[in-house]
Amino acid sequence: QVRLMESGGGSVQPGGSMRLSCKISGHTHSSYYMGWIRQPPGKQREGVAGINHEGATEYADSVKGRFTISKDSLPHTDTLYLQMNSLKPEDTAMYYCAVVPDLAFGTGGQPLDLLHSKYAYWDQGTQVTVSA
């Protein structure tokens, strides 16, 4: 059973930085795509950043150049990070760490969309608020 434990989040002023972390266990490293999704107030969930087991990354256009996803892999766990710089008020959202089995890619979905699809697992989320 996949388990995700997220930490980080809180409030920050525009232009500030914040780092989210997520410990992932109960999965097979080479069989899952990992990433971060978010849900702004009153809007639908959206994929923010993703990383595969080889370290290839992908970002939503709205965060390119400002957010960086990375991971540390141990034999039975991965720790996923999201470094967020130059934060904007529109980055305010509930952020979720998410994983999706590689098998889901057979459906033809895009990686960042699959992270918030019915095939994905995510945790309870953490609130990030960007305001002056």
Side-chain angles (χ1 to χ4, degrees), residues 37-49:
I37 61 176
R38 68 184 181 186
Q39 186 166 19
K43 297 184 179 181
Q44 294 186 343
R45 285 194 181 102
E46 59 183 7
V48 175

Side-chain angles (χ1 to χ4, degrees), residues 74-129:
L74 293 176
H76 301 292
T77 62
D78 284 283
T79 302
L80 194 64
Y81 303 98
L82 185 67
Q83 178 66 43
M84 304 183 290
N85 298 327
S86 303
L87 282 161
K88 305 176 181 179
E90 51 264 42
D91 294 318
T92 294
M94 187 71 79
Y95 283 72
Y96 303 83
C97 169
V99 298
V100 60
D102 282 353
L103 288 174
F105 285 76
T107 64
Q110 295 300 308
L112 293 184
D113 292 334
L114 286 171
L115 281 172
H116 58 94
S117 71
K118 63 181 181 180
Y119 306 106
Y121 302 86
W122 55 78
D123 63 341
Q124 75 279 2
T126 187
Q127 179 67 37
V128 173
T129 302

Side-chain angles (χ1 to χ4, degrees), residues 26-91:
H27 66 295
T28 303
H29 297 292
S30 60
S31 302
Y32 281 81
Y33 188 78
M34 305 175 187
W36 297 89
I37 61 176
R38 68 184 181 186
Q39 186 166 19
K43 297 184 179 181
Q44 294 186 343
R45 285 194 181 102
E46 59 183 7
V48 175
I51 187 167
N52 69 12
H53 60 271
E54 295 178 337
T57 59
E58 184 166 345
Y59 298 92
D61 289 342
S62 59
V63 306
K64 281 181 181 176
R66 300 188 298 121
F67 289 14
T68 302
I69 187 171
S70 61
K71 66 183 179 76
D72 289 330
S73 296
L74 293 176
H76 301 292
T77 62
D78 284 283
T79 302
L80 194 64
Y81 303 98
L82 185 67
Q83 178 66 43
M84 304 183 290
N85 298 327
S86 303
L87 282 161
K88 305 176 181 179
E90 51 264 42
D91 294 318

